[in-house]
Amino acid sequence: MKAGIVGATGYGGIELFRLLREHPEIEAIHLYSSSQAGEDFTNIYKHLNSQETIVLEELQPEVMKYELDVVFLATPAGVSRNLTPDLLGGSAVIIDLSGDLRLKDPESYEEWYKKESASDHILKQAVYGLPEWNEEEIVNAKVIANPGCYPTATLLGLAPLIKDRLVEPHSIVVDAKSGVSGAGKNPNPTTHFAHTQENFQIYKVNQHQHIPEIEQALHGWDEAIEPITFSTHLAPMVRGIMSTIYLKMKEPLSERELHERFSSYYDSRPFVRVRQEGNFPCTKEVYGSNYCDIGLTLDPRTNRVTIVSVIDNLMKGAASQAVQNMNLVFHFDEEAGLLRLPVYP
């Protein structure tokens, strides 16, 4: 297998490189950068200085689509919508880590991302890459839209109840938090150390671009679901997503029944770990791994369920989930190259 990473100099790109270097099926990795082509990758990321010289290459889609087996697009929004058409038609499978191909409605993309949408032709080909719930489509895909970090944690936490249509359609409230790396590599006043350290900040109130992505998936499982309340916060940590979800049930279930339902859905999925009753995860417990840990409880006074879902935003929320999708589409062991325990502390 020959893999290419476009946007290799970003945080998602360097995580992909780290994972693919250890993947048993990957023979060669080509790194591409539109702004730093010709530079030595190890000069950009000094922690790689024991590796051989790795020169960043210029983008040549007409060559890449025939010479590579898989191309990961770890690019900002607005790039892959133009690059994907040029990469199609060859042997390469395309896995897009940006948000360009996730929303099926072009008008919704343009409203939330404030950018021109990809063409209908490309959007129709793109398969949403949430492996635990869309494996049948992923294994036959040529283009995969890797989910966002907030949607991954939120949808994995909601799916067992939404798919069985057990949730009051108007009741979903999501209170989500992210580490600073979720904002990307380029610094800005909001992510400056002096601002984020010892600070906790809500941002993009009612405007986060992951809202329509989450709602699109929820409507696919239960068309009765109404718009959700979704708030995002920046936490003073490098990595991690915690999605705390509140909802009401249509019919009463005991806490034991809720846990049994979640366990039955995820027992066969290697990267989702459902906690025992009364046990809730924290972001450190999935740090550096492809795991999503979920804890839940029922408040009998209000009939409201609280679900806590945590992931590493750069891993299960980006790079390692992309590798998981690669494993599925090429019929490798789903866990290949991903069997790493979380880093703690």
Side-chain angles (χ1 to χ4, degrees):
M1 287 277 293
K2 294 181 180 179
I5 304 172
V6 179
T9 59
Y11 289 150
I14 185 60
E15 280 290 71
L16 278 167
F17 177 76
R18 181 173 70 92
L19 293 170
L20 295 175
R21 286 281 297 191
E22 299 178 12
H23 197 286
E25 303 291 343
I26 299 297
E27 177 186 41
I29 306 171
H30 294 266
L31 306 181
Y32 302 91
S33 173
S34 58
S35 60
Q36 294 175 281
E39 294 191 33
D40 184 350
F41 193 50
T42 63
N43 285 337
I44 298 171
Y45 285 108
K46 303 297 185 182
H47 66 289
L48 301 176
N49 62 13
S50 62
Q51 306 292 328
E52 71 278 8
T53 298
I54 306 166
V55 178
L56 293 165
E57 303 176 38
E58 292 185 3
L59 288 169
Q60 296 180 296
E62 289 300 319
V63 175
M64 295 162 62
K65 68 182 183 182
Y66 292 110
E67 291 190 349
L68 301 174
D69 298 292
V70 59
V71 179
F72 297 92
L73 302 179
T75 58
V79 175
S80 62
R81 72 165 191 260
N82 296 321
L83 189 55
T84 298
D86 295 334
L87 290 168
L88 285 172
S91 57
V93 170
I94 299 161
I95 301 178
D96 178 32
L97 280 73
S98 81
D100 280 6
L101 309 183
R102 297 173 191 156
L103 300 182
K104 294 301 183 182
D105 179 9
E107 291 183 5
S108 180
Y109 176 89
E110 292 173 1
E111 176 186 352
W112 289 89
Y113 282 81
K114 311 303 180 187
K115 298 177 185 293
E116 183 181 347
S117 171
S119 68
D120 281 336
H121 173 68
I122 297 299
L123 294 177
K124 287 177 181 177
Q125 293 186 65
V127 171
Y128 193 60
L130 191 64
E132 288 74 17
W133 294 102
N134 211 21
E135 181 175 355
E136 290 185 7
E137 289 192 51
I138 292 168
V139 295
N140 296 311
K142 196 68 175 179
V143 181
I144 296 173
N146 216 57
C149 50
Y150 282 127
T152 295
T154 302
L155 293 172
L156 290 175
L158 281 168
L161 300 181
I162 298 293
K163 287 183 73 72
D164 287 343
R165 306 189 176 207
L166 298 172
V167 176
E168 288 286 358
H170 64 279
S171 70
I172 300 172
V173 176
V174 182
D175 181 41
K177 302 92 178 169
S178 174
V180 181
S181 61
K185 183 180 177 182
N186 294 327
N188 62 59
T190 302
T191 60
H192 192 288
F193 177 85
H195 179 80
T196 58
Q197 178 67 2
E198 298 186 36
N199 194 16
F200 194 66
Q201 176 182 346
I202 193 169
Y203 69 101
K204 292 187 177 179
V205 181
N206 300 326
Q207 297 178 345
H208 201 285
Q209 68 273 17
H210 287 170
I211 293 173
E213 180 182 342
I214 295 169
E215 292 180 344
Q216 176 180 264
L218 295 180
H219 291 157
W221 296 332
D222 181 354
E223 66 277 5
I225 294 298
E226 298 180 14
I228 66 172
T229 297
F230 182 81
S231 298
T232 54
H233 304 77
L234 190 63
M237 59 187 185
V238 175
R239 294 173 181 249
I241 292 278
M242 176 178 283
S243 188
T244 306
I245 305 161
Y246 308 96
L247 56 87
K248 283 196 171 185
M249 305 289 290
K250 290 180 180 177
E251 300 177 4
L253 287 178
S254 69
E255 189 160 311
R256 174 61 58 84
E257 289 172 322
L258 285 169
H259 276 86
E260 289 175 350
R261 183 173 295 274
F262 271 72
S263 296
S264 67
Y265 268 109
Y266 287 127
D267 274 350
S268 63
R269 306 307 311 197
F271 295 114
V272 179
R273 306 186 297 188
V274 179
R275 297 296 183 89
Q276 295 179 345
E277 292 179 51
N279 191 310
F280 296 91
C282 62
T283 58
K284 268 288 187 182
E285 291 163 348
V286 295
Y287 197 98
S289 79
N290 194 48
Y291 289 112
C292 173
D293 282 11
I294 297 173
L296 64 153
T297 189
L298 171 68
D299 184 348
R301 298 180 310 108
T302 62
N303 191 35
R304 188 172 290 279
V305 177
T306 300
I307 303 164
V308 180
S309 177
V310 300
I311 62 171
D312 183 323
N313 58 291
L314 293 178
M315 293 288 284
K316 184 62 171 167
S320 61
Q321 182 151 253
V323 173
Q324 186 180 357
N325 280 318
M326 180 193 75
N327 288 342
L328 292 176
V329 80
F330 287 100
H331 306 288
F332 302 147
D333 182 339
E334 186 176 354
E335 300 174 77
L338 298 173
L339 285 172
R340 59 180 72 246
L341 291 172
V343 176
Y344 189 89

